[in-house]
């Protein structure tokens, strides 16, 4: 996952597919490790959240050096959906990694929402007006 911005598109799809399937598995330790951003870890250990934070920080630095990155990202997204013909451009692998990263983060958020907290009492309902 740490190399998502520098790996081929097909490999990124495979890695994120495996991680998504693991995140849906009903095991409290997997849930905690893959979906809990507040997990306390031993020094030097990384969680999926800490890896994603580091990747996004790296991405923000890289995008500052890419001219017209928004337009290029949109073009690559359209190419991946088959809406426009694929043409070679600079930073294609980076932009494909960004697309996979965006979609993976949305998928993780959906999984976390559906699964809810791994254990413990459910959150209190919204307060009602009297």
């Amino acid at each position: 996952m740490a190399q998502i911005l520098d790996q081929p598109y097909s490999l990124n799809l495979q890695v994120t597919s495996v991680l998504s399937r693991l995140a849906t598995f009903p095991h409290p330790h997997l849930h905690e490790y893959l979906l809990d951003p507040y997990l306390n870890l031993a020094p030097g250990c990384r969680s999926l959240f800490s890896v994603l934070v580091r990747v996004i920080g790296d991405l923000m630095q890289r995008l500052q050096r890419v001219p017209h990155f928004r337009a290029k990202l949109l073009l690559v997204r359209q190419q991946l959906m088959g809406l426009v013909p694929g043409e070679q451009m600079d930073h294609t692998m980076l932009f494909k990694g960004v697309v996979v990263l965006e979609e993976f983060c949305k998928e993780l958020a959906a999984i976390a929402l559906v699964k809810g907290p791994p254990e413990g009492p459910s959150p209190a309902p919204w307060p009602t007006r009297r």
Side-chain angles (χ1 to χ4, degrees):
M1 227 17 240
Q3 301 300 318
I4 194 168
L5 302 176
D6 301 309
Q7 294 175 156
Y9 180 70
S10 60
L11 179 60
N12 286 338
L13 290 177
Q14 292 171 3
V15 168
T16 56
S17 174
V18 168
L19 287 171
S20 293
R21 286 180 179 241
L22 283 172
T24 61
F25 192 74
H27 191 280
H29 296 301
L30 280 174
H31 177 95
E32 184 178 49
Y33 182 72
L34 294 174
L35 299 174
D36 184 359
Y38 302 110
L39 179 64
N40 288 322
L41 298 170
C45 293
R46 297 183 299 177
S47 66
L48 180 58
F49 179 76
S50 67
V51 170
L52 290 173
V53 167
R54 188 170 287 165
V55 167
I56 292 169
D58 180 33
L59 172 62
M60 298 310 288
Q61 290 179 356
R62 289 188 193 194
L63 289 181
Q64 291 177 0
R65 298 186 299 261
V66 178
H68 311 291
F69 76 87
R70 290 179 195 264
K72 290 179 180 178
L73 179 59
L74 179 61
L75 179 61
V76 168
R77 185 179 289 280
Q78 292 171 335
Q79 288 173 351
L80 289 172
M81 291 190 297
L83 300 176
V84 296
E87 60 183 58
Q88 191 59 29
M89 73 169 96
D90 292 339
H91 311 289
T92 300
M93 188 176 295
L94 172 68
F95 289 122
K96 286 181 178 180
V98 171
V99 170
V100 174
L101 179 63
E102 288 177 337
E103 297 303 321
F104 178 62
C105 288
K106 287 190 266 186
E107 188 168 350
L108 278 181
I111 292 167
L113 180 67
V114 168
K115 285 180 77 175
E119 56 190 44
S122 60
W126 291 98
T128 58
R129 291 187 174 185
R130 296 181 186 188

